[in-house]
Amino acid sequence: MAAPRPRRSASVRDPSDGRKRLDGAGSWDALEWTKIVPVTRSISHVGLEFLLEAERVVEEGHGVVLVNTDEAGTLFVTNFRLLFLSDGTRNIVSLGTIPLATIERFNKMVVKVQSAPRQTDKSSSRRLLLIIGKDMRIIVFGFRPQTKQRRVIFDALSRCTKPARIWDLYAFTCGPSKFSNPNPKVRLLNEYFRLLGKGFHCASMRMIEDGSFTLSNDLLRISDTNSNYTTCQSYPFALIVPKNISDEEVIQASTFRARCRIPVVSWCHPGTGAVLARSSQPLVGLMMNMRRKLYIADARPRKNALANGAMGGGSESSSNYFQSEIVFFGIDNIHAMRESFARLRDYLDTHGAASSDGMSSFLRHGGWTWGGRNLSSMSASVSTLGDSGWLIHVQSVLAGSAWIAARVALESASVLVHCSDGWDRTSQLVSLANLMLDPYYRTFTGFQALVEKDWLAFGHPFSDRVGMPSISGTSFELTRQSSTGSFSSSPMRQSSGSLTPQASNSSHAQTNYSPIFLQWVDCVSQLLRMYPFAFEFSSTFLVDFLDCVLSCRFGNFLCNSEKERLQCGVYEACGCLWAYLADVRSSEGSSHAHYNLFYDPLKHNGRVLPPAAALAPTLWPQFHLRWACPSESQAGELEAESRHMAIKFSELQKAKEAAEKKAKEYSMAMETLNAELRNEKQVSSSAMNLAKRASKESAAIKRAIQSLGCRVNFTSSVNCSFDFESNPTETPQKYMHSPPRRNSDGTMGPEDKSDLSVSITVVSEDVVSSSPLGRVCETLCPLRNGGCRWPDAACAQLGSQFVGLKANFDAFDRLSIYDGYFQSE
């Protein structure tokens, strides 16, 4: 879940008065909480647009001050988070809004301020609520006195942050929604198939149900001996083991390992066959032998391993293995990591720009920045971080992982990694070594497969380490502890007043909470910094991913093992974190902040083995500094500028694609218009040819008829009209004729009517006789004695065969009938 960057609000105090506040005189009075006008109406319904699906308001407090930023607002407790809404802007203030599952502990506090000589004692104490988060933030809320609102909020937090059952978590209340969670068993098998070189096989639930997933190659095989979790309850249902080891031997070996966590294969080299295996610490008894150079990496300090031997545990013995060597990495346990993380958080809050005490931060009002804006100089020495030891622990995990990867890649040796139980330090080392050895794990899909395999499937106890209830109903005590230790690190805090806790409970030392997974993600961010071209995802993705894990908004990281998640029905009842993050990325495509702009899969298409000199970790600014010092938490200038250019390029690319699409549409339209124009030209040309032919025919007919001594008149009418006159005194005879119209292809349409009218008038016999044709007609006509009866005469009915005429209009057009053709001798 993406965490918005905290927004600095305008301080109600005069920045020039910073020295006075550091001296402690009257610094808290400047807040003037008593002058805050209480909201007279509930605004919980006003902010409903900010609520997530199935999120509901449990309690709310008005006129609350976020001490870190001097901002007044309304504080809501929902069934998912603590939400702070600004009274001025009605916007959510990111720093004051934290998921309930991300709260490590909270406590009511009373601060007593040393009043000035002329001030009264009315404002000598303030009611505070301290919230300490697992995501590096420490926030303090101030409440108006005598309103009992702090008690209301405190009691609501006590109920909602400590659910009695796992099914009371928000992830179950919300349901899968649109982020449905496919069964991760299928994804685990697909990853196993890839490791065995059987990637062409596709896993399915049917394959799991009928047990047909036990594939193998020349060296390794998938065993179903733990399909019902009888061999090891914290291991996955399927295991990769050497092919020459039977299921009976696997079951027998489980009796010689702590919590039955036998050595199983996590990764294998596709070329050499070297394997990276994991297990828990051995117990006294028989060990399995292997016929390859074997390194046994014990993550613990040597003295801790020897101490565990007194309690039935212990370390490996090289005498039990052929050609073996044992190495101790000296990585501290979960309790040391928890304390180190707490010290780092306190140090950053003490010196941050948004300090939780509101007074003593050196960066509170600017003027001085860490390391002169040089992040590397700020974290070059561990002592500058308050001797927290966090970076030393991170370096130890990185160095151990790099050593393991080098043995597998450079010596073709196999490595067996274990710690005490094999689910904390072992998971860190094995998964980081996998990340260095296999470029697939440095992609989005590969990173998901890696986390689901080496953390979720192999039983890292997330419920215990993150502090959520498990299937057994027990949960990490989200105690309302005193945070006196959190404030004691800064002497400036004591100068302005005293913080008195109202309740105090046991410390974290008695719990199983520990930021082991957070530390691993921190290590991944260090590798990303060292190899910026090797990872498809960015540091922003890692921050959002870690926020989603800590918030428990989705079901993927609930419970302590694969078996428990199946028993709780997590996969069916809760949403999927991976689906949510994929949906977030799809909104902007490759320009989204989750994508690494510098990713070049060809540059690092194999292993990455960082040298020892490169393993000098620094603070992870996007995560460690985002609350305490937001200005320093932003990505480097080069990355920010590159991302801006990439977004601009993406916008230009989209504009180009839109323009090309529009141009293509115009081109297609032009082609269509050109085709239509060509068709019209063809029709027009055909019509012109028909018109010319008709004109020639008409001219020929006219000449032929005129040669018979007739007058021909063409008029525009519906029908063709033929007028005959045998002599001038008689009334002309008219014949109406409708010739068929020619179609565009030259055929005749008998039903159509022409617009051309032809009028033919027969002239008198004198006129006929005077013409050459008339004289011929008179000579040859058998009816000449009775007078010409044309057109009723036989000559008109039989055509012009009497004079040898043929209806060849083209010939008439070429040769005039008057040109001596019928001249008499």
Side-chain angles (χ1 to χ4, degrees):
M1 181 176 58
R5 304 299 180 196
R7 180 179 58 82
R8 286 298 309 273
S9 62
S11 176
V12 299
R13 297 174 292 186
D14 184 5
S16 64
D17 195 33
R19 182 178 300 274
K20 182 178 180 180
R21 276 189 300 277
L22 292 178
D23 293 338
S27 58
W28 292 93
D29 295 334
L31 288 176
E32 296 182 328
W33 293 342
T34 55
K35 295 183 179 180
I36 296 176
V37 179
V39 180
T40 56
R41 61 184 181 88
S42 172
I43 63 171
S44 59
H45 300 291
V46 177
L48 288 179
E49 64 271 15
F50 298 119
L51 298 181
L52 302 174
E53 183 178 2
E55 185 180 12
R56 57 181 178 81
V57 175
V58 178
E59 294 290 351
E60 58 187 276
H62 306 288
V64 180
V65 172
L66 178 59
V67 175
N68 303 65
T69 58
D70 303 338
E71 190 163 7
T74 303
L75 187 62
F76 298 91
V77 178
T78 74
N79 58 335
F80 171 61
R81 56 184 168 171
L82 188 66
L83 190 152
F84 186 68
L85 191 66
S86 171
D87 281 348
T89 64
R90 289 294 190 267
N91 292 330
I92 291 179
V93 179
S94 301
L95 177 60
T97 300
I98 180 172
L100 300 179
T102 310
I103 298 176
E104 180 180 317
R105 60 185 185 269
F106 57 94
N107 191 32
K108 292 185 293 185
M109 306 291 293
V110 175
V111 58
K112 295 181 179 180
V113 182
Q114 296 177 359
S115 303
R118 296 184 179 181
Q119 290 179 329
T120 63
D121 294 336
K122 290 183 178 180
S123 301
S124 59
S125 62
R126 304 300 180 193
R127 274 68 175 171
L128 304 178
L129 179 62
L130 173 70
I131 305 292
I132 298 180
K134 305 168 187 174
D135 58 352
M136 298 297 299
R137 77 177 108 180
I138 299 177
I139 51 181
V140 174
F141 294 101
F143 294 81
R144 297 175 65 251
Q146 300 178 354
T147 60
K148 297 184 179 181
Q149 291 192 103
R150 185 180 65 161
R151 177 178 294 276
V152 170
I153 298 297
F154 180 83
D155 292 343
L157 287 176
S158 300
R159 296 192 306 270
C160 297
T161 56
K162 296 174 58 179
R165 306 179 309 157
I166 188 173
W167 296 277
D168 296 329
L169 292 173
Y170 171 76
F172 287 91
T173 304
C174 179
S177 184
K178 64 177 181 179
F179 308 116
S180 58
N181 189 8
N183 197 312
K185 283 186 173 183
V186 176
R187 296 195 293 267
L188 179 64
L189 280 184
N190 282 328
E191 176 60 14
Y192 280 177
F193 294 163
R194 187 188 72 88
L195 292 175
L196 296 183
K198 305 291 183 179
F200 52 88
H201 288 278
C202 185
S204 64
M205 287 303 301
R206 181 176 181 180
M207 183 180 292
I208 296 174
E209 292 170 357
D210 60 24
S212 59
F213 58 83
T214 55
L215 305 181
S216 64
N217 60 15
D218 295 338
L219 299 175
L220 305 172
R221 69 182 180 91
I222 302 176
S223 172
D224 62 351
T225 184
N226 198 43
S227 58
N228 294 323
Y229 307 102
T230 54
T231 302
C232 179
Q233 295 188 12
S234 59
Y235 264 9
F237 75 103
L239 306 172
I240 298 181
V241 297
K243 189 175 182 179
N244 58 356
I245 296 180
S246 65
D247 287 344
E248 289 75 16
E249 291 176 306
V250 171
I251 297 174
Q252 181 184 10
S254 65
T255 61
F256 297 100
R257 290 282 166 173
R259 302 184 187 275
C260 301
R261 295 175 65 90
I262 60 174
V264 292
V265 176
S266 172
W267 188 83
C268 55
H269 195 287
T272 64
V275 300
L276 178 56
R278 60 181 297 166
S279 70
S280 63
Q281 65 178 342
L283 304 178
V284 180
L286 180 65
M287 299 296 179
M288 292 188 297
N289 201 354
M290 299 185 67
R291 296 295 174 181
R292 175 185 289 269
K293 174 64 176 180
L294 175 66
Y295 288 98
I296 303 174
D298 195 326
R300 302 166 295 180
R302 182 186 296 271
K303 61 180 182 179
N304 292 16
L306 296 177
N308 286 340
M311 298 181 291
S315 61
E316 303 283 1
S317 174
S318 59
S319 61
N320 295 320
Y321 298 90
F322 177 73
Q323 292 184 342
S324 64
E325 180 179 340
I326 301 175
V327 179
F328 291 91
F329 287 158
I331 302 175
D332 287 325
N333 59 24
I334 62 173
H335 308 295
M337 298 304 178
R338 179 177 61 245
E339 297 302 325
S340 175
F341 182 77
R343 289 194 298 268
L344 175 64
R345 180 175 53 202
D346 289 342
Y347 175 83
L348 296 178
D349 178 69
T350 300
H351 300 284
S355 177
S356 61
D357 66 357
M359 299 175 296
S360 60
S361 170
F362 294 114
L363 301 182
R364 182 69 172 187
H365 299 287
W368 179 73
T369 55
W370 262 329
R373 294 191 178 276
N374 187 346
L375 188 63
S376 61
S377 65
M378 178 185 66
S379 56
S381 173
V382 178
S383 61
T384 62
L385 298 177
D387 294 323
S388 66
W390 180 258
L391 295 183
I392 292 180
H393 295 313
V394 170
Q395 184 180 28
S396 298
V397 176
L398 283 171
S401 303
W403 186 91
I404 293 170
R407 302 288 77 73
V408 175
L410 302 180
E411 299 182 16
S412 299
S414 295
V415 181
L416 172 63
V417 184
H418 72 81
C419 52
S420 296
D421 294 321
W423 52 38
D424 290 312
R425 289 166 284 191
T426 300
S427 295
Q428 289 180 325
L429 293 169
V430 170
S431 55
L432 276 179
N434 281 338
L435 202 66
M436 297 177 187
L437 290 169
D438 197 333
Y440 171 69
Y441 293 136
R442 301 193 287 268
T443 65
F444 282 110
T445 55
F447 184 79
Q448 175 182 347
L450 177 66
V451 172
E452 290 191 320
K453 171 172 65 74
D454 280 307
W455 288 92
L456 292 170
F458 279 97
H460 175 69
F462 277 98
S463 286
D464 292 344
R465 298 297 180 261
V466 176
M468 283 291 105
S470 64
I471 190 172
S472 61
T474 60
S475 65
F476 160 66
E477 282 294 323
L478 288 173
T479 55
R480 293 150 280 180
Q481 298 180 26
S482 167
S483 59
T484 304
S486 301
F487 284 86
S488 61
S489 59
S490 174
M492 295 295 182
R493 297 172 187 269
Q494 302 298 327
S495 63
S496 60
S498 61
L499 294 171
T500 304
Q502 292 186 347
S504 178
N505 294 326
S506 59
S507 66
H508 272 309
Q510 306 301 322
T511 71
N512 289 323
Y513 165 76
S514 185
I516 297 298
F517 187 72
L518 184 152
Q519 187 179 56
W520 177 78
V521 179
D522 192 345
C523 293
V524 176
S525 75
Q526 304 293 336
L527 289 177
L528 176 57
R529 178 182 56 83
M530 287 185 274
Y531 298 97
F533 299 98
F535 292 82
E536 184 183 14
F537 47 83
S538 66
S539 182
T540 302
F541 165 78
L542 294 177
V543 173
D544 292 348
F545 166 69
L546 196 52
D547 282 343
C548 286
V549 174
L550 295 177
S551 71
C552 294
R553 178 180 174 183
F554 306 98
N556 305 72
F557 293 84
L558 299 180
C559 302
N560 288 326
S561 65
E562 179 182 281
K563 177 185 178 182
E564 289 187 6
R565 282 185 285 275
L566 287 174
Q567 291 176 335
C568 292
V570 167
Y571 307 130
E572 296 81 12
C574 303
C576 178
L577 176 149
W578 309 110
Y580 167 75
L581 292 176
D583 182 72
V584 169
R585 290 194 300 272
S586 65
S587 61
E588 299 180 18
S590 59
S591 62
H592 194 274
H594 284 183
Y595 287 91
N596 179 15
L597 294 177
F598 307 112
Y599 176 56
D600 185 359
L602 299 180
K603 187 176 181 66
H604 295 288
N605 58 356
R607 61 181 184 250
V608 291
L609 300 176
L615 297 176
T618 66
L619 283 180
W620 179 14
Q622 289 88 346
F623 183 79
H624 291 146
L625 304 180
R626 59 175 170 164
W627 305 119
C629 191
S631 61
E632 296 286 351
S633 69
Q634 305 301 320
E637 294 182 2
L638 178 61
E639 181 179 353
E641 184 66 22
S642 299
R643 187 167 300 280
H644 175 73
M645 293 177 62
I647 294 175
K648 200 70 177 177
F649 177 79
S650 178
E651 294 174 352
L652 294 175
Q653 187 72 16
K654 291 179 181 179
K656 177 186 175 183
E657 293 175 356
E660 290 177 347
K661 182 179 179 181
K662 203 70 175 177
K664 186 176 181 180
E665 293 176 356
Y666 287 149
S667 178
M668 295 177 62
M670 288 294 295
E671 291 180 1
T672 303
L673 292 176
N674 288 334
E676 293 178 355
L677 181 59
R678 288 192 298 268
N679 186 41
E680 289 294 332
K681 287 182 177 180
Q682 292 177 358
V683 173
S684 176
S685 177
S686 177
M688 290 293 292
N689 293 334
L690 290 175
K692 290 179 180 179
R693 182 175 179 84
S695 178
K696 291 179 180 180
E697 292 177 355
S698 299
I701 292 173
K702 180 178 180 180
R703 286 195 298 271
I705 294 175
Q706 286 176 347
S707 67
L708 297 177
C710 301
R711 292 191 183 98
V712 182
N713 295 318
F714 294 90
T715 61
S716 178
S717 62
V718 178
N719 300 316
C720 287
S721 176
F722 298 90
D723 297 336
F724 302 95
E725 295 182 0
S726 59
N727 55 68
T729 59
E730 297 180 358
T731 303
Q733 301 180 15
K734 296 182 179 180
Y735 294 87
M736 304 300 294
H737 176 64
S738 299
R741 177 179 295 176
R742 292 181 180 273
N743 296 326
S744 61
D745 56 358
T747 59
M748 305 300 292
E751 300 299 329
D752 297 335
K753 295 184 178 181
S754 175
D755 294 335
L756 180 64
S757 296
V758 182
S759 176
I760 303 176
T761 305
V762 181
V763 299
S764 63
E765 294 181 2
D766 296 338
V767 177
V768 174
S769 300
S770 64
S771 65
L773 184 57
R775 291 194 297 272
V776 174
C777 181
E778 182 181 359
T779 304
L780 298 178
C781 182
L783 303 175
R784 63 183 180 278
N785 293 331
C788 183
R789 300 179 182 178
W790 195 91
D792 295 329
C795 62
Q797 297 175 1
L798 299 177
S800 53
Q801 65 269 31
F802 298 106
V803 292
L805 295 177
K806 301 295 183 182
N808 188 342
F809 301 116
D810 292 333
F812 280 126
D813 184 48
R814 293 194 300 271
L815 179 64
S816 174
I817 198 169
Y818 295 107
D819 296 338
Y821 189 80
F822 293 101
Q823 293 180 2
S824 60
E825 298 179 357

